[in-house]
Amino acid sequence: MPLPTVILPGFFAGAEDYYLLAQYLNQQGIPTVVVPLRKRDWFPTIGGRSMVPILQKINATVEQVLDKYSVPQINLVGHSAGGWIARIYIGEKPYIVHGDVTETVIGLWNMYPVVNTLITLGTPHISQERWTRKNLDFVKDNYPGAFYSQVRYVCIAGKAVYGQRTFKTWLPYNSYQLTIGQGETWGDGITPVEAAHLEGAENLTLDGVWHSPRSPGKWYGSPDIIGSWLDYLA
């Protein structure tokens, strides 16, 4: 049986947005659960604050899955911000940059031994947004690229819309500009391709794939798109 998979929602998303994705993976024989986040669980993290409340939810879910299936490892699928939050979770350096926990806290990081594969979907692994820099710089500075050789990193980008200063592409343009300092580039409507890949990872770019379940077209979790990355969980 494949290792169980835990899905980490993107910023300000609730678990319900990923139920169809989890259902599909379960139907393919991959035991899958979504970290049970609600939108209000993200409120304490707004403005670039600490992700400790989210890390606590992730850790509780992972522990439950390890116990339920009696396995030594799981796979993680992180969508959008869930991808870089997962990198904090698996990293060994104490996440104490916000002063809300001490180095002695156990279980909110240093979890790379229990992660076999980390798949990130449309994750902005870099950003120039001032409200996310503190968290992302912590990840980038401490765990550059596909940092742990024991973990298989798979980073998937969508190439659905080219950012331009036009009415229809103004939002993608601004999002790309805030992320990498360049708006005129390809991405999934939120995350530019360049930001969604990591050096040393298995990097994929999927044509026509949008950022989220609420996007106007197919997203990373659409049934006919999942096949592009499903084998990494097998």
Side-chain angles (χ1 to χ4, degrees):
M1 182 182 75
L3 290 174
T5 289
V6 175
I7 298 174
L8 283 55
F11 184 72
F12 228 70
E16 66 274 8
D17 289 342
Y18 303 85
Y19 286 160
L20 288 177
L21 170 57
Q23 181 183 51
Y24 183 87
L25 293 178
N26 276 297
Q27 290 171 348
Q28 304 307 306
I30 300 171
T32 304
V33 300
V34 184
V35 178
L37 290 167
R38 300 159 296 181
K39 290 185 178 179
R40 66 173 178 262
D41 291 326
W42 294 97
F43 287 152
T45 74
I46 291 175
R49 287 181 283 180
S50 173
M51 289 293 163
V52 163
I54 307 303
L55 293 169
Q56 290 171 329
K57 291 277 190 178
I58 295 170
N59 190 62
T61 304
V62 170
E63 288 186 344
Q64 290 169 6
V65 170
L66 291 171
D67 181 65
K68 178 179 178 178
Y69 293 100
S70 299
V71 292
Q73 288 187 311
I74 51 93
N75 293 324
L76 290 178
V77 174
H79 173 240
S80 196
W84 59 258
I85 295 171
R87 293 170 65 201
I88 294 176
Y89 179 64
I90 69 176
E92 64 196 84
K93 302 287 179 142
Y95 177 63
I96 56 175
V97 293
H98 295 277
D100 54 341
V101 290
T102 67
E103 293 188 22
T104 59
V105 173
I106 299 174
L108 300 187
W109 52 78
N110 198 29
M111 298 299 287
Y112 69 90
V114 304
V115 176
N116 181 276
T117 297
L118 169 62
I119 297 179
T120 65
L121 307 174
T123 292
H125 289 292
I126 56 174
S127 179
Q128 296 184 11
E129 294 175 329
R130 61 182 179 84
W131 51 88
T132 59
R133 284 287 299 273
K134 191 169 188 177
N135 285 317
L136 273 171
D137 283 354
F138 172 83
V139 179
K140 176 172 62 71
D141 293 343
N142 288 292
Y143 318 113
F147 188 76
Y148 290 103
S149 60
Q150 305 95 320
V151 179
R152 186 181 193 183
Y153 292 77
V154 182
C155 300
I156 304 176
K159 185 179 178 182
V161 58
Y162 189 83
Q164 292 179 300
R165 293 183 178 181
T166 65
F167 178 76
K168 289 186 177 181
T169 59
W170 187 254
L171 176 59
Y173 176 89
N174 280 337
S175 184
Y176 302 163
Q177 179 76 27
L178 285 171
T179 304
I180 62 171
Q182 178 183 351
E184 294 183 345
T185 189
W186 283 98
D188 62 14
I190 297 294
T191 302
V193 171
E194 178 182 333
H197 289 164
L198 280 176
E199 184 177 355
E202 297 176 62
N203 295 311
L204 283 72
T205 300
L206 304 180
D207 289 335
V209 172
W210 292 74
H211 186 73
S212 76
R214 302 179 186 276
S215 298
K218 296 176 182 179
W219 80 292
Y220 302 96
S222 296
D224 53 345
I225 301 300
I226 298 173
S228 302
W229 53 270
L230 182 66
D231 287 348
Y232 294 105
L233 298 176

